[in-house]
Amino acid sequence: TGRNAFRIVRAMLLARALLLEGSPGVGKTSLVAALAATAGVRLLRVNLSEQSELADLLGQELPAADCDGSEEGVDGAAVAEESGNGNGGMRFVWRDGVLLAALQAGHWLLLDELNLAPQPVLEGLNAVLDHRAEAYVPELGRAFRAHPRFRIFACQNPLAQGGGRKGLPKSLVNRFARVWLDELL
């Protein structure tokens, strides 16, 4: 475990997202959580799957239970409102997804099981991982720049281990510093 932790810390010297690869149970997620705790940084985690959507990461407009006007959208922006009968019209409020929340606040983000995510989710990560370091949210009509302390870690098991795994596009893998973690002895 010490050797694996050293590899991650050494790779963190690069100003890039990290892609941690290793067999199930090797401690990829636990090591990142321990490093975040040691660094005093909040870690947000999302477990990706074939059912993951970009809205899970960026956010979406969701129905708000109350209509007293007490909630606001992102940065105080107006919320979308559907007219009703006057007694309980449904309104929608923007809720940040885990990626957008971490990106703005400077938290670390752990994308678990990256190679299970569908292609649209992977494509949506490109602008965050490249030189732009931003996420564009079409629903809000604006881009959000990454906080200087924001950092992405992604974990994946080897292709041969577990069903549904696919090879990541080379264009995406090139945006990461890859770290192979040895099995625990």
Side-chain angles (χ1 to χ4, degrees):
T1 304
R3 174 189 250 167
N4 287 340
F6 177 75
R7 288 177 179 166
I8 295 172
V9 170
R10 186 176 60 196
M12 288 176 66
L13 296 174
L14 302 171
R16 299 176 74 183
L18 300 185
L19 177 59
L20 310 179
E21 299 178 85
S23 298
V26 77
K28 300 179 290 286
T29 301
S30 299
L31 280 171
V32 174
L35 289 171
T38 301
V41 178
R42 185 167 178 211
L43 176 68
L44 302 180
R45 178 178 172 252
V46 61
N47 200 32
L48 298 169
S49 72
E50 294 90 354
Q51 288 77 38
S52 297
E53 297 180 2
L54 197 52
D56 299 331
L57 298 178
L58 293 180
Q60 57 191 312
E61 288 185 351
L62 297 171
D66 66 332
C67 290
D68 65 2
S70 62
E71 290 193 60
E72 295 179 336
V74 172
D75 295 335
V79 296
E81 191 169 325
E82 294 285 324
S83 60
N85 60 10
N87 289 338
M90 180 62 69
R91 70 184 186 118
F92 292 84
V93 178
W94 178 263
R95 299 285 184 218
D96 288 348
V98 66
L99 169 63
L100 194 57
L103 181 116
Q104 294 179 90
H107 302 315
W108 288 1
L109 176 64
L110 177 60
L111 301 171
D112 238 338
E113 306 290 356
L114 185 65
N115 57 348
L116 290 179
Q119 191 64 32
V121 171
L122 299 176
E123 290 171 4
L125 292 172
N126 265 329
V128 176
L129 295 171
D130 72 11
H131 67 280
R132 294 172 283 184
E134 66 182 24
Y136 180 75
V137 181
E139 295 86 348
L140 300 175
R142 64 181 277 216
F144 295 84
R145 293 223 24 96
H147 187 284
R149 291 187 60 192
F150 172 69
R151 179 147 221 159
I152 290 181
F153 297 84
C155 297
Q156 68 179 20
N157 296 330
L159 291 177
Q161 296 179 346
R165 299 186 196 288
K166 54 194 168 296
L168 296 173
K170 189 170 184 168
S171 60
L172 181 70
V173 173
N174 288 340
R175 299 189 190 286
F176 287 95
R178 294 174 78 174
V179 179
W180 180 261
L181 302 182
D182 291 330
E183 294 202 30
L184 301 175
L185 301 175

